[in-house]
Amino acid sequence: MEKKSFNEGWRFETKGKDPIVLTLPHDAQLLDGRAFDAEGGSGHGYFLSNVYTYEKSFHAPTLWKEKEIRLLFEGVYRNCIVEVNGKKAGEHKYGYTQFCVLLDDYLNYEEENTVKVTVDNSKLPNSRWYTGGGIYRPVSLVIGEKNGISFQGVKITTLEYQPAQILVETTVTDGEVVVEILKDEQKVAEGKGTAVKIDIPNAKLWSEQHPELYQAHVMVYRDGVLVDECVENFGIRKLNWDTTGFYVNGESTLLRGGCVHHDNGIVGAASLRESEWRRVRILKEQGFNAIRVSHNPASSSMLDACDYYGMYVMDEAFDMWYIRKNKYDYGVDFRDCWKDDISAMVTRDYNHPSVVMYSIGNEVSEPGKEEGVKQGKEIISLIKSIDDTRAVTGGMNLMIMGNYAKGKGLYDDVDKGVMANGQKEEDGSKNGSLLFNTIVSFIGPGMNKAGNSKKVDQVTTPILDALDIAGYNYASGRYPLEGKKHPNRIVVGSETFPYEIAKNWKMVETYPYLIGDFMWTAWDYLGEAGLGAWSYTGGVPFNRPYPWLLAGAGVIDILGNPDASAGLAKVVWKTTKHPIIGVRPVNHPKVRVSKSMWRGTNAIESWSWKNCDGNKAEIDIFSQGDKVELFVNHKSVGIKKLKEYHALFKTKYEPGEIEAVSYDVFGKELGRSSLKSAGESMVSIEPEKENFQKGEIAYIDISLRDRDGIVESNADRTLEVSVEGGELLGFGSANPCTKDDYTTGRFSTYYGRAQAVVRVNAESNVTVKVQDNGNEIVCTLN
């Protein structure tokens, strides 16, 4: 079996745009831009809808007559039809699961063939967040042998880890199956048969600390002749869970988790391999060891990265079941499609050691009633029939299920476009997120206790007890109760407020049945505009008006820069020994900030605020220890007691240096850190790595820095980027409220930072040029 990239040379058309030839993956929705009256409203980041058409011609050699030829689409958003030589060959509704189209009956051999993909993303809202549109994940040509190894026909299961034994199951019509196990390109074990147990001597186990990967080289022989083969990556990893904890190869494991949406910031939803790997790497560097892929199956590239870096994954199937959260969402197709989509997710995930849990859905109302419990159990049963080695969970909001049981379903009025307060929406953004976010903004952290009542407990127990691990969204008030109320229940905090990490993590370390915490969110995302952002322009902290764009909820921004809240998590998790200094922006004097329930602070790690001398400065210090002292230009501002790892200082901004020193209860210094102000800043262009090959994706930091590399946070301006020898895939900043466009090459920095993403097309050097008020700054990629 052979798998080839089928990403280059697609002709793309959409209404109102000239045809272009492009390379996949590709987010078509970015090209249509945004408008204040966009039907998707704030949930979709005010992006517009459209229908997209992709065409590609290819030659089919006669040799293919003896093969099985498939196109593998890893993700198309949404409602797509695939035609081959003018005939319909396949279709797919869900935007997040992969699917194959068998081409054999449609090919013209020794001729040019045309595949056409039509994607209908014209009806919005069809999601609660920005989805992107078109063929946004890679496409591959899969050349298989007739009667050979089935597509995804190799399953590898860890039976034992001490000593290590695996089971390799191969789906094939006939022939002798030989399996070689490789480690670092060396054969370490072998076996024969379609279901063969293989002992692996001196095995290196897969875990977050040591993500050791092996390969299974599976070969099929007939009459002594090799007729088919494939290679599967896997890790030797066995899971167990009970009320004493969650275990990876027998080691107790606590999940330091974050929820992550699927978009990749300035390139939109395009699932570029480099983007997915970069995100996982940065998350791991920031102390996370687990990702909840919310609220849809992850890309294959993300799972590959998680396998490589050692990141546990909760792979989530759906955001909705048959009750729609938006007028045109997947709920329309759920009853017809859910079995195929669950099967696609679980079958694909089976050999990925990083995947440790499947989630049956996020904040679905249905289990509040008997029909929904039945539906949930059917999903669980199907998952278990394919894979019984992993835990099944769900992101369950107890309040939502309890209200639905009382006839007060949160999404009952989705078709009518009625807001949670009963008023008719005027902007056409009939988005389910608005309803939920309205409620959260009124009751705040009190939602954590909304599931504590006896009635809610009775309503939610049937579905929660059907899960291997009960996922609680915003229900931390239940954590201390479950040991007595439900002594056999295992719990994970599937969605929590980031600023409550100290309180939540203390409970994770206290209650053995509570196995981890997933904050909303680890990485910021497009859509749900202004959900978590603190604003200096007023307004409610949700459903913010155009041109708001980003959620502003991530502790890491869309460029990959962590803020002080990410530092708080590192302190709580004890993955850093030094204090984290966060400064709330000082460049809005006497302006009252509009805060959000999803963010405890908007502080960033910067003490460089040009022309802000004398402005009020609020400084968050996050640290271990008993107390912390703050110095401004070597003068002590004071010493404060740390409460849940936090102390807030108020002073006035003056350029120079600030330093935080933490102490234990005896006054002994534990650690110190500092921030300095920038000198004269200029545009800096820094690729994230040194050398690039043709076809690679380059991430390039473009920021305002002084000679020592310190970023200036208060000198933002508009820059223009152009590229020679490559393709500019996106240029932008993490500004959550802007009319700038990621596709134009023109964007303003935000707190001194911007980013360009470039595809390297030239064999030799690629030149990146930045225009800054008439000055040109040039960088060459080797």
Side-chain angles (χ1 to χ4, degrees):
M1 183 176 294
E2 185 180 7
K3 183 179 177 182
K4 296 182 175 181
S5 171
F6 204 68
N7 291 322
E8 295 184 356
W10 287 83
R11 185 177 187 272
F12 171 79
E13 287 189 63
T14 189
K15 183 179 179 181
K17 302 286 184 181
D18 293 332
I20 57 174
V21 177
L22 52 77
T23 299
L24 302 176
H26 164 252
D27 182 358
Q29 194 169 14
L30 280 185
L31 300 182
D32 287 315
R34 306 165 64 224
F36 74 95
D37 58 351
E39 292 181 343
S42 62
H44 283 259
Y46 299 98
F47 279 91
L48 297 168
S49 61
N50 215 327
V51 176
Y52 322 116
T53 302
Y54 299 80
E55 284 191 10
K56 178 180 171 75
S57 296
F58 62 99
H59 181 74
T62 303
L63 179 65
W64 282 6
K65 285 185 178 181
E66 306 304 319
K67 309 285 186 179
E68 285 187 348
I69 310 300
R70 291 177 172 84
L71 283 181
L72 169 62
F73 294 87
E74 294 187 19
V76 181
Y77 200 91
R78 164 179 179 323
N79 296 320
C80 77
I81 295 175
V82 180
E83 298 172 85
V84 179
N85 295 325
K87 298 179 181 179
K88 181 178 176 181
E91 65 179 323
H92 196 69
K93 300 291 186 182
Y94 195 31
Y96 298 108
T97 47
Q98 69 176 32
F99 63 98
C100 283
V101 176
L102 187 63
L103 304 186
D104 298 351
D105 294 338
Y106 306 96
L107 293 176
N108 297 321
Y109 299 101
E110 293 304 331
E111 297 181 21
E112 286 296 300
N113 294 260
T114 300
V115 58
K116 178 180 178 182
V117 183
T118 304
V119 188
D120 189 349
N121 192 34
S122 63
K123 294 181 179 180
L124 301 183
N126 57 29
S127 173
R128 297 186 300 115
W129 59 87
Y130 177 78
T131 60
I135 309 178
Y136 73 99
R137 287 178 178 171
V139 180
S140 300
L141 182 71
V142 181
I143 304 171
E145 300 293 331
K146 292 187 186 296
N147 301 318
I149 300 170
S150 298
F151 175 69
Q152 294 184 333
V154 176
K155 292 176 62 175
I156 304 165
T157 308
T158 300
L159 300 177
E160 301 293 341
Y161 58 88
Q162 204 172 26
Q165 185 183 64
I166 63 171
L167 172 65
V168 181
E169 299 172 276
T170 304
T171 302
V172 64
T173 303
D174 58 31
E176 180 187 30
V177 176
V178 176
V179 181
E180 292 182 346
I181 303 303
L182 308 176
K183 177 63 176 168
D184 301 326
E185 300 183 352
Q186 300 295 315
K187 184 171 72 173
V188 297
E190 62 183 335
K192 295 182 179 181
T194 56
V196 57
K197 295 180 180 179
I198 301 176
D199 296 326
I200 302 181
N202 305 313
K204 296 182 178 180
L205 307 183
W206 187 97
S207 67
E208 61 167 298
Q209 298 91 348
H210 305 287
E212 299 285 350
L213 292 173
Y214 287 76
Q215 293 77 41
H217 183 195
V218 180
M219 296 162 282
V220 178
Y221 291 87
R222 295 194 187 106
D223 300 324
V225 177
L226 178 65
V227 296
D228 201 4
E229 62 182 328
C230 71
V231 176
E232 285 287 328
N233 292 333
F234 71 98
I236 300 171
R237 190 270 295 128
K238 190 171 184 179
L239 305 172
N240 298 96
W241 54 89
D242 57 33
T243 54
T244 67
F246 187 78
Y247 299 90
V248 178
N249 298 325
E251 295 289 331
S252 179
T253 301
L254 300 179
L255 302 178
R256 305 187 303 272
C259 299
V260 175
H261 267 318
H262 73 290
D263 77 72
N264 282 305
I266 64 173
V267 296
S271 183
L272 304 168
R273 179 186 182 277
E274 290 85 350
S275 302
E276 305 285 17
W277 279 64
R278 176 180 182 270
R279 175 161 52 185
V280 174
R281 172 180 56 81
I282 292 173
L283 286 166
K284 191 71 184 288
E285 290 170 351
Q286 291 303 311
F288 292 89
N289 72 352
I291 293 172
R292 177 188 176 210
V293 188
S294 35
H295 305 289
N296 45 260
S299 69
S300 294
S301 290
M302 173 176 271
L303 296 185
D304 290 341
C306 290
D307 292 343
Y308 179 85
Y309 286 113
M311 182 75 77
Y312 303 120
V313 176
M314 179 196 298
D315 212 3
E316 192 153 69
F318 310 116
D319 186 48
M320 73 294 294
W321 291 352
Y322 50 81
I323 294 178
R324 287 168 292 159
K325 296 181 178 180
N326 298 278
K327 188 172 183 178
Y328 302 110
D329 68 23
Y330 177 73
V332 174
D333 307 301
F334 177 84
R335 293 187 190 274
D336 294 330
C337 299
W338 74 266
K339 291 181 181 179
D340 289 340
D341 290 320
I342 285 289
S343 296
M345 177 184 77
V346 179
T347 301
R348 183 205 59 173
D349 288 3
Y350 194 92
N351 293 335
H352 286 284
S354 58
V355 178
V356 297
M357 280 186 274
Y358 301 112
S359 168
I360 64 174
N362 172 65
E363 293 185 343
V364 289
S365 307
E366 290 90 334
K369 295 182 180 179
E370 185 177 349
E371 180 186 6
V373 174
K374 180 181 177 183
Q375 177 66 70
K377 289 181 177 179
E378 288 180 359
I379 298 175
I380 295 167
S381 178
L382 179 56
I383 292 173
K384 291 292 187 181
S385 72
I386 304 171
D387 183 357
D388 62 359
T389 69
R390 292 170 168 89
V392 178
T393 186
M396 297 299 173
N397 189 298
L398 312 188
M399 179 187 72
I400 288 176
M401 289 188 289
N403 286 342
Y404 180 62
K406 295 188 295 184
K408 299 179 180 179
L410 184 61
Y411 305 107
D412 289 349
D413 293 320
V414 162
D415 276 343
K416 301 174 185 177
V418 175
M419 295 172 61
N421 61 8
Q423 295 181 356
K424 185 79 172 181
E425 290 186 90
E426 298 299 332
D427 64 356
S429 55
K430 310 170 187 67
N431 188 293
S433 280
L434 177 58
L435 310 178
F436 178 69
N437 297 339
T438 303
I439 293 172
V440 175
S441 296
F442 280 122
I443 67 175
M447 185 171 60
N448 286 321
K449 297 182 179 179
N452 287 13
S453 73
K454 185 176 181 180
K455 287 185 178 179
V456 171
D457 189 28
Q458 290 173 341
V459 167
T460 58
T461 287
I463 190 63
L464 295 177
D465 284 353
L467 298 167
D468 295 317
I469 298 172
Y472 287 3
N473 282 19
Y474 308 107
S476 58
R478 285 279 291 268
Y479 296 168
L481 310 177
E482 302 303 53
K484 292 183 178 180
K485 282 192 172 184
H486 300 282
N488 296 319
R489 185 175 294 175
I490 312 164
V491 177
V492 63
S494 45
E495 191 167 319
T496 61
F497 296 115
Y499 60 87
E500 294 189 325
I501 183 63
K503 179 181 68 175
N504 289 339
W505 198 250
K506 182 177 181 181
M507 289 189 282
V508 169
E509 293 180 319
T510 300
Y511 305 115
Y513 53 82
L514 180 60
I515 66 168
D517 175 272
F518 289 80
M519 67 174 66
W520 189 267
T521 57
W523 197 283
D524 203 19
Y525 57 98
L526 279 65
E528 289 196 303
L531 168 75
W534 283 21
S535 171
Y536 294 94
T537 58
V540 293
F542 58 90
N543 195 39
R544 293 195 189 273
Y546 179 83
W548 278 86
L549 169 62
L550 306 179
V555 300
I556 300 173
D557 70 21
I558 64 166
L559 307 187
N561 300 307
D563 66 9
S565 296
L568 168 61
K570 291 170 68 174
V571 167
V572 171
W573 293 331
K574 298 179 174 61
T575 58
T576 182
K577 296 181 180 179
H578 303 288
I580 301 296
I581 305 173
V583 180
R584 302 181 186 185
V586 303
N587 55 347
H588 302 280
K590 299 180 181 180
V591 177
R592 184 175 181 179
V593 63
S594 171
K595 299 181 179 181
S596 163
M597 286 311 307
W598 272 270
R599 180 170 288 279
T601 181
N602 63 343
I604 62 174
E605 294 184 60
S606 172
W607 189 246
S608 190
W609 303 90
K610 186 177 181 180
N611 299 325
C612 290
D613 300 35
N615 287 2
K616 176 183 176 181
E618 293 184 305
I619 303 165
D620 293 288
I621 308 295
F622 302 113
S623 179
Q624 298 174 37
D626 180 66
K627 50 188 173 293
V628 66
E629 186 171 12
L630 178 68
F631 296 87
V632 176
N633 292 329
H634 310 293
K635 296 178 183 178
S636 178
V637 174
I639 298 176
K640 290 200 173 185
K641 185 84 170 176
L642 289 161
K643 182 179 180 181
E644 294 184 337
Y645 304 94
H646 175 239
L648 177 65
F649 289 84
K650 297 181 180 181
T651 184
K652 290 186 177 181
Y653 176 75
E654 56 180 270
E657 180 180 11
I658 59 172
E659 185 174 38
V661 182
S662 59
Y663 306 98
D664 66 13
V665 291
F666 303 106
K668 179 182 177 181
E669 180 178 324
L670 298 176
R672 64 174 61 210
S673 57
S674 64
L675 298 173
K676 293 182 179 180
S677 303
E680 189 64 30
S681 63
M682 62 198 78
V683 173
S684 167
I685 308 174
E686 293 290 338
E688 290 190 351
K689 70 173 192 176
E690 292 185 358
N691 299 310
F692 295 90
Q693 301 296 321
K694 183 179 179 180
E696 283 190 320
I697 305 298
Y699 270 81
I700 303 167
D701 175 84
I702 298 176
S703 52
L704 309 177
R705 298 176 184 267
D706 69 3
R707 293 183 178 180
D708 295 323
I710 300 173
V711 175
E712 172 54 60
S713 299
N714 194 42
D716 288 324
R717 51 191 182 265
T718 299
L719 305 177
E720 294 187 41
V721 173
S722 60
V723 177
E724 295 177 2
E727 178 185 359
L728 182 63
L729 300 180
F731 172 58
S733 71
N735 190 343
C737 181
T738 178
K739 292 182 180 180
D740 290 348
D741 186 328
Y742 302 133
T743 67
T744 63
R746 178 183 173 88
F747 217 97
S748 295
T749 59
Y750 186 64
Y751 293 137
R753 299 179 185 271
Q755 182 182 82
V757 180
V758 174
R759 176 179 283 114
V760 177
N761 291 336
E763 295 286 357
S764 56
N765 295 340
V766 175
T767 302
V768 178
K769 298 180 179 180
V770 177
Q771 298 289 336
D772 173 26
N773 292 326
N775 298 316
E776 183 175 84
I777 302 91
V778 179
C779 174
T780 300
L781 308 184
N782 298 317

